[in-house]
Amino acid sequence: MGRQSKQHAMKRNILFIVAVFLSVNLMAQEQPTDKDLILKTIDKAYVQGLQNGKDIENIKKGFHPGFNLLGVDQNDNLTKLPIYTWYDMVEGRIAAGKKPEVETKAKYPLVDITGKAAVVKVELYREDKMIFTDYLSLYKFEEGWRIVSKIYHRM
């Protein structure tokens, strides 16, 4: 093999290695992280869906059918609201044309993920005033991250 052929082969190999490296990096950058997927689920299903009365299908995709909202009443009794009751309430508001006058926005000061389990602290705001602090628990299922429970504090 002549000198030019060796140089040409070396350049071709270097270009191939660079192309593989760039494509691997691009693919890695395109893959959303678990944190990204969790926050997207919460935004679509919970913030936009339940809080702002938008697409009921996104709510159903983001919440596990066994979901319960846990609360404490004035007598310190634990209360439970299953997701299907919450769906019915939101569907009733949507059917009646009742949407929130002011959109609810969220901040996520804590996202803690361990394997297939996660907890997210969600601060909900209306007109820049915090109205709730929620703690959402999620599990990762075959179809993706789903919200399985919620506890909260009303401001």
Side-chain angles (χ1 to χ4, degrees), residues 26-126:
L26 287 174
M27 286 189 309
Q29 290 174 2
E30 292 173 11
Q31 297 298 319
T33 64
D34 278 330
K35 181 179 179 180
D36 296 333
L37 295 169
I38 288 167
L39 294 180
K40 183 178 179 181
T41 297
I42 292 171
D43 183 62
K44 288 176 80 175
Y46 181 55
V47 178
Q48 298 308 316
L50 286 174
Q51 292 295 325
N52 290 317
K54 296 187 179 168
D55 189 355
I56 198 78
E57 286 308 310
N58 282 334
I59 298 170
K60 290 180 179 178
K61 287 177 189 171
F63 283 84
H64 189 275
F67 169 91
N68 278 302
L69 182 159
L70 301 174
V72 177
D73 67 16
Q74 293 91 355
N75 298 318
D76 279 344
N77 295 312
L78 187 65
T79 62
K80 261 196 231 186
L81 180 71
I83 193 59
Y84 54 84
T85 303
W86 211 355
Y87 288 153
D88 292 346
M89 292 166 55
V90 172
E91 283 181 321
R93 285 194 305 260
I94 292 170
K98 295 180 183 176
K99 291 208 174 195
E101 293 177 21
V102 178
E103 187 171 281
T104 300
K105 298 185 185 211
K107 292 182 182 175
Y108 308 99
L110 170 74
V111 178
D112 190 359
I113 306 165
T114 305
K116 293 184 173 192
V119 175
V120 179
K121 180 179 183 180
V122 182
E123 295 175 346
L124 296 177
Y125 295 83
R126 284 197 191 121

Side-chain angles (χ1 to χ4, degrees), residues 9-29:
M10 187 183 295
K11 285 181 185 178
R12 220 182 21 213
N13 288 341
I14 290 172
L15 286 175
F16 176 76
I17 291 168
V18 168
V20 168
F21 178 76
L22 289 175
S23 65
V24 167
N25 278 343
L26 287 174
M27 286 189 309
Q29 290 174 2

